[in-house]
Amino acid sequence: MPTYAELDVTPIINANATLTRLGGSLMPPEVLKAMMEAAKVFVELPELQRRVGNRIALLTQNEACYVSSGAAGGIVVAIAACVTGNDMAAIERLPDLTGLKDEVIVHKSQRNGYDHAVRQVGVKLVEIGYPAVTEVWQLEGAINEKTAAVIWFHGALGGPGDISLEKVIDISHAHGVPVLVDAAAQLPPVENLWKFTQMGADAAIFSGGKDLRGPQSSGLVLGKQWLIDACARNGPPNHSIGRPMKVGKEEMLGLLAAVERYLALDHEGRASQMDEIVTGWCNELSKLDGVRAERSFPNEAGQPLPRAQVHFDAAVVGRSRGEIVQGLLDGRPAVSVAPGPDDSIFLNPTTLEEGEEEVVLARLVEEVRG
Ligand SMILES: *Cc1c(COP(=O)(O)O)cnc(C)c1O
């Protein structure tokens, strides 16, 4: 059997975040088991997509659900859905947008690498506002007969003066324009699975492979029935813009198992467990000369989970922040951490397996002591 070891691929302890580059998250046994069962039998993929979607929609208090190849793949099919609706000729023609709505509105403050998934459909991003402030009249002025949707990137990607999501939904809906929320990393809190759509968003899009701990190549589009139907038509196995973003039967059952697990999790217990780890790290690390560690909250994506922020006095420690980060990654076991502001690093407990918090602490102490 091929293994990471046999391929000479270095296993990494992830004290960083649910980074795609590191593999997102680790799948719990119930998810793996569902994928294994799915892998053993042929089914009609569209039928499975419908049934899994119905089940997840029910579980998450949504009208409908489409299982995508990831949040980015979900954005592609959801934008395509807003452009084409259920018009089969338009679906077949994409990304040729002749005669179709070809503009998507975005706050300038929210522009980020993931908006490539929006542009992939061929639409033009129309920016509104400034990094620090966006006005309601700027949104109203940007909406016209070519507007296919408004995309909203929730969480830490926004600006301090953005129009509120409630207002964006109100104004857009008054003009008949759908609103899509990229909530890829917006779990926890678990309520976000229904919060944005209950606010009126036409769809909220989540990664399956981040905190949900489903398959890395899976995602959720949760929302209105018309939009989910149009996502399915713009997705595999149909010949469509979403055809290359295939979702396998294993991903579908695996994601369903992950959603069931996530809804049943003791989220409060988990949060206090994370707090205990962070407190333990801070206490131990602050004993080192030239090191100061404190609890940081919320996390990098704005989620209500703590991290430890560790500051180094390079003159005392004798190594730069960059050297410590690289040292952690180059040593064995390899540990990935996130660089922070002012020569600090963040230690994140949420992506660790049980007991790894001790390994992370020991490795960091080792790096600091040189
Ligand atoms: C991670 C992320 C995505 C992409 O999610 P995938 O499931 O990896 O496709 C999109 N948008 C944001 C804001 C993200 O954080």
Side-chain angles (χ1 to χ4, degrees):
M1 191 175 80
T3 62
Y4 292 146
E6 178 246 335
L7 290 164
D8 199 21
V9 170
T10 310
I12 296 171
I13 293 180
N14 181 4
N16 192 328
T18 52
L19 296 181
T20 293
R21 187 170 43 85
L22 295 178
S25 56
L26 300 182
M27 288 186 283
E30 50 269 57
V31 175
L32 289 169
K33 185 154 180 292
M35 293 185 81
M36 289 257 281
E37 292 307 312
K40 293 175 186 167
V41 181
F42 289 105
V43 292
E44 285 272 3
L45 224 44
E47 181 189 24
L48 180 62
Q49 173 70 254
R50 253 191 334 271
R51 299 250 196 266
V52 167
N54 288 345
R55 177 78 70 84
I56 294 178
L58 199 66
L59 287 169
T60 60
Q61 308 175 41
N62 279 283
E63 219 174 281
C65 162
Y66 174 78
V67 177
S68 64
S69 62
I75 292 171
V76 174
V77 292
I79 292 287
C82 292
V83 168
T84 65
N86 286 312
D87 176 347
M88 294 307 288
I91 290 168
E92 187 186 31
R93 214 159 64 235
L94 285 187
D96 175 355
L97 293 164
T98 312
L100 298 171
K101 296 177 178 182
D102 62 357
E103 294 183 2
V104 172
I105 297 173
V106 65
H107 276 65
K108 188 199 269 296
S109 59
Q110 297 180 6
R111 289 298 308 269
N112 69 89
Y114 294 110
D115 62 42
H116 199 122
V118 178
R119 291 181 283 118
Q120 200 163 323
V121 181
V123 298
K124 250 196 337 253
L125 274 176
V126 175
E127 293 182 355
I128 55 168
Y130 297 99
V133 61
T134 305
E135 307 282 0
V136 163
W137 57 261
Q138 290 174 314
L139 172 58
E140 283 172 331
I143 295 176
N144 65 71
E145 70 285 349
K146 305 198 102 188
T147 308
V150 175
I151 181 94
W152 172 273
F153 291 93
H154 201 79
L157 290 169
D162 289 357
I163 304 170
S164 71
L165 177 56
E166 288 93 335
K167 256 214 184 94
V168 167
I169 293 169
D170 274 358
I171 295 167
S172 306
H173 283 182
H175 294 84
V177 173
V179 176
L180 304 178
V181 175
D182 177 347
Q186 298 304 306
L187 295 172
V190 62
E191 300 82 46
N192 278 355
L193 288 169
W194 48 91
K195 181 178 137 185
F196 304 115
T197 38
Q198 284 182 357
M199 279 169 71
D202 297 80
I205 301 163
F206 296 87
S207 284
K210 291 182 178 168
D211 205 52
L212 274 174
R213 299 181 64 178
Q216 184 174 23
S217 348
S218 73
L220 284 175
V221 184
L222 300 170
K224 304 259 166 72
Q225 188 71 55
W226 73 266
L227 193 138
I228 299 305
D229 288 345
C231 283
R233 291 191 185 178
N234 276 288
N238 304 314
H239 294 295
S240 62
I241 197 150
R243 175 62 182 79
M245 284 153 257
K246 189 189 281 183
V247 188
K249 54 197 183 303
E250 299 80 8
E251 277 74 26
M252 292 189 206
L253 278 200
L255 184 56
L256 173 56
V259 170
E260 287 179 347
R261 171 188 168 275
Y262 202 72
L263 289 168
L265 262 191
D266 171 10
H267 287 279
E268 275 179 34
R270 178 187 178 217
S272 40
Q273 204 183 346
M274 297 301 112
D275 260 316
E276 266 171 47
I277 294 175
V278 166
T279 304
W281 279 340
C282 291
N283 289 343
E284 289 306 310
L285 290 167
S286 293
K287 291 177 186 164
L288 301 173
D289 284 341
V291 177
R292 183 168 58 83
E294 62 196 356
R295 180 179 184 269
S296 165
F297 185 92
N299 73 8
E300 76 293 337
Q303 300 331 109
L305 289 172
R307 295 182 296 170
Q309 187 174 12
V310 189
H311 304 264
F312 305 100
D313 182 339
V316 177
V317 173
R319 309 186 69 191
S320 72
R321 186 266 308 270
E323 285 170 334
I324 290 172
V325 171
Q326 197 57 48
L328 285 168
L329 204 53
D330 292 343
R332 292 294 177 267
V335 176
S336 173
V337 300
D342 305 325
D343 270 354
S344 68
I345 63 168
F346 287 109
L347 299 182
N348 187 344
T350 59
T351 36
L352 296 178
E353 292 291 277
E354 211 181 315
E356 284 183 343
E357 66 273 15
E358 299 298 333
V359 184
V360 170
L361 178 64
R363 284 286 292 108
L364 183 52
V365 170
E366 203 172 84
E367 290 300 326
V368 168
R369 292 202 172 130

